[in-house]
Amino acid sequence: MGTSWSMQATVGDHLEVVGRKVGDHVRGAEVLGVRGACGAPPYVVRWDDDGHEGLFFPCGCVRVHHPAAVHVAEDDAIDLRREPVGAGTRPPSMGAGW
């Protein structure tokens, strides 16, 4: 009977391996390659703490963090620090009670 994996990762994702007992530290790794079908393990990773690269077979104490999937071109970026055009003004049809 085959193993069913619910974990899925792609190249560029970040894995967070949480310790299993008190005092264990959290380890992070970048996914460099995916050896399983449809994003399933095992993964080729580079560990954040020492730069070691290797094949990783995760267990249940691993979280997958996906980087932002949408990259906005710099020309299309919205500056969220600026006030929207027309902010602080009321539409002409709203009257003084707006």
Side-chain angles (χ1 to χ4, degrees):
M1 182 176 221
T3 302
S4 175
W5 287 96
S6 60
M7 179 180 296
Q8 291 186 327
T10 59
V11 173
D13 285 351
H14 196 264
L15 304 179
E16 183 178 82
V17 183
V18 181
R20 298 181 122 194
K21 62 184 187 307
V22 175
D24 285 350
H25 68 282
V26 176
R27 282 189 87 189
E30 178 185 357
V31 177
L32 303 177
V34 178
R35 297 291 186 249
C38 300
Y43 304 119
V44 177
V45 301
R46 179 184 312 115
W47 295 101
D48 296 343
D49 56 359
D50 62 5
H52 176 78
E53 293 180 11
L55 195 59
F56 178 58
F57 293 82
C59 62
C61 57
V62 177
R63 293 186 206 122
V64 179
H65 298 277
H66 307 285
V70 178
H71 297 283
V72 178
E74 192 171 319
D75 293 341
D76 296 333
I78 299 169
D79 187 352
L80 298 177
R81 297 169 294 176
R82 291 180 43 206
E83 197 169 314
V85 175
T89 62
R90 64 180 172 276
S93 62
M94 297 305 290
W98 168 257

